């Protein structure tokens, strides 16, 4: 669910950016990624070309996504 939520928030932020409306803070986007939503954030970044020029997002979100997926694989393999 966190990945779906992160995707929706990232997509919504891109929509707000296009409309020059109040934006979702980068802090919130990072928090969602750190809480396990990095894969969803990464997919949204690629789908909407959002935050792809920000170096911290460009490299940080994919690294977090891999870490999240590895952890999920380890937890899934144990249970």
């Amino acid at each position: 669910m966190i990945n779906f939520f992160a995707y929706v928030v990232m997509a919504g932020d891109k929509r707000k950016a296009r409309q020059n409306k109040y934006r979702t803070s980068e802090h919130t986007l990072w928090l969602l990624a750190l809480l396990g939503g990095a894969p969803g954030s990464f997919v949204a970044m690629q789908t909407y070309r959002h935050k792809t020029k920000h170096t911290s997002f460009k490299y940080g979100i994919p690294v977090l996504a891999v870490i999240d997926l590895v952890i999920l694989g380890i937890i899934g393999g144990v249970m």
Side-chain angles (χ1 to χ4, degrees):
M1 288 304 285
I2 188 71
N3 284 293
F4 176 74
F5 186 67
Y7 180 94
V8 169
V9 171
M10 184 73 78
D13 188 49
K14 178 64 176 191
R15 186 174 51 256
K16 290 175 188 176
R18 287 181 178 157
Q19 297 171 349
N20 291 321
K21 291 186 176 180
Y22 183 75
R23 306 272 307 276
T24 304
S25 72
E26 287 188 359
H27 175 79
T28 301
L29 298 175
W30 275 111
L31 183 61
L32 288 171
L34 288 169
L35 291 174
S41 294
F42 179 73
V43 171
M45 282 177 58
Q46 300 306 309
T47 302
Y48 298 104
R49 288 199 234 156
H50 189 49
K51 300 286 186 189
T52 55
K53 292 184 180 181
H54 294 253
T55 304
S56 62
F57 281 89
K58 183 178 182 178
Y59 298 109
I61 296 294
V63 168
L64 276 177
V66 168
I67 292 169
D68 286 350
L69 294 173
V70 167
I71 291 171
L72 183 63
I74 290 170
I75 291 172
V78 174
M79 296 179 145

